[in-house]
Amino acid sequence: MEMREVTVVSGSFVGFQLLFSVASPLLSSAFAAGYGRLAPGKHTEWNSRVVSTIHALIVGLFCLYILWFDDAVNADPVWGDPGLVKLNVAITCGYLLYDLVLLARNWGTMGDGFFVCHHLAALYAYGYVLTQGVLPYFANFRLISELSTPFVNQRWFFEALSYPRSDRLVVANGVAMAVVFFLVRIAVMPPYYSRVVSTFGTPAFERLGLGPQVAWISSCICLDILNTIWMYKIARGCYKVLTGASRKAKDKLNHHDGSHTNNHRD
């Protein structure tokens, strides 16, 4: 790993830690009226999700930029110039390390085995990108999934602030979360794996060697199993929110009609 990547990973780790411990508490206290009323344990998860949203927006938008404008990576997905991709991956690795430390320190309230598996699988694969500069297109493509994270975090913020599930903002965010999660984590699987399979047997693929090949394929399968499980849970939650909101609207309409009828009879 070159010194630039080491510096970016280290800076990312420290930067996200400062966002968590300093910036998020100050900004949340100033701009989120309900932050001060949260239970002490909730403050930790709130701040972690603020950091998570910031990370997702940075790497997600950077990922789109690379997909749209980095011709070298798009032309050679296995061995294309990895400069920008390594920068984006290094930011993510710093974040993943910060988050693993945070989970370990707060396992009783925030511990989640799925997240640990996700983070370790990603670090395993991204380690090859940073040290050998391989698979830049595929590494960057995986980061598009981060664009669903802000909606997932916003759902938690609404719950922490005791918004009713039938609230229009909650319903709108729930639908947006389900749609975006599906688009960036599930719908992209066929074209992604089609591009993966197209490299099999090529000189570029053989040049990788067994280690990167195993890390690439195994981590992708692991991550996509987790994504499928999360998609199922999100779809169920979205269905419950939509049916609950529909039921409340119908009850309200029936109540209004009943009141109107009674007044007319009087």
Side-chain angles (χ1 to χ4, degrees):
M1 190 186 306
E2 296 178 3
M3 184 55 63
R4 187 190 76 155
E5 281 73 50
V6 173
T7 302
V8 174
V9 172
S10 302
S12 173
F13 177 87
V14 173
F16 286 123
Q17 181 60 52
L18 290 174
L19 282 173
F20 169 80
S21 57
V22 179
S24 177
L26 290 175
L27 293 174
S28 298
S29 298
F31 297 105
Y35 179 79
R37 298 193 296 270
L38 294 176
K42 290 283 188 181
H43 286 135
T44 300
E45 187 160 4
W46 176 290
N47 294 327
S48 76
R49 288 181 180 272
V50 169
V51 176
S52 170
T53 297
I54 293 171
H55 162 261
L57 291 173
I58 292 172
V59 300
L61 295 175
F62 197 9
C63 163
L64 291 178
Y65 173 83
I66 293 171
L67 285 174
W68 288 335
F69 300 111
D70 195 328
D71 295 333
V73 167
N74 291 318
D76 185 354
V78 180
W79 291 99
D81 180 12
L84 290 179
V85 174
K86 289 173 74 173
L87 178 60
N88 208 18
V89 167
I91 293 172
T92 293
C93 287
Y95 169 78
L96 293 175
L97 292 171
Y98 140 82
D99 204 40
L100 284 173
V101 172
L102 182 66
L103 288 172
R105 291 173 56 190
N106 299 275
W107 188 259
T109 56
M110 295 176 57
D112 189 323
F114 281 134
F115 278 112
V116 173
C117 290
H118 172 274
H119 287 9
L120 292 178
L123 285 169
Y124 173 50
Y126 288 151
Y128 280 101
V129 179
L130 293 180
T131 56
Q132 299 184 25
V134 297
L135 303 165
Y137 173 87
F138 298 103
N140 185 67
F141 196 95
R142 301 299 309 192
L143 291 175
I144 197 174
S145 64
E146 290 297 332
L147 293 173
S148 65
T149 300
F151 298 98
V152 176
N153 289 335
Q154 188 58 51
R155 180 188 63 172
W156 186 92
F157 292 139
F158 282 139
E159 290 180 357
L161 295 174
S162 300
Y163 275 65
R165 290 192 173 186
S166 58
D167 188 278
R168 290 182 179 180
L169 289 175
V170 177
V171 173
N173 180 75
V175 173
M177 176 182 67
V179 171
V180 174
F181 195 98
F182 176 78
L183 290 175
V184 302
R185 293 180 185 248
I186 305 300
V188 296
M189 287 185 190
Y192 177 80
Y193 283 105
S194 175
R195 192 83 187 261
V196 170
V197 171
S198 72
T199 69
F200 290 175
T202 64
F205 181 81
E206 298 300 329
R207 182 181 162 200
L208 283 173
L210 184 61
Q213 291 170 357
V214 171
W216 175 26
I217 304 302
S218 62
S219 63
C220 287
I221 293 172
C222 178
L223 291 172
D224 284 330
I225 289 173
L226 293 175
N227 284 331
T228 302
I229 293 171
W230 286 330
M231 182 73 250
Y232 172 73
K233 293 181 177 181
I234 287 173
R236 284 189 61 189
C238 184
Y239 175 76
K240 290 179 180 178
V241 168
L242 287 175
T243 53
S246 176
R247 194 178 302 114
K248 281 207 168 190
K250 184 181 292 185
D251 291 343
K252 186 176 180 181
L253 180 61
N254 290 338
H255 176 73
H256 174 76
D257 289 345
S259 300
H260 178 77
T261 302
N262 289 335
N263 291 335
H264 179 71
R265 284 176 180 172
D266 290 343

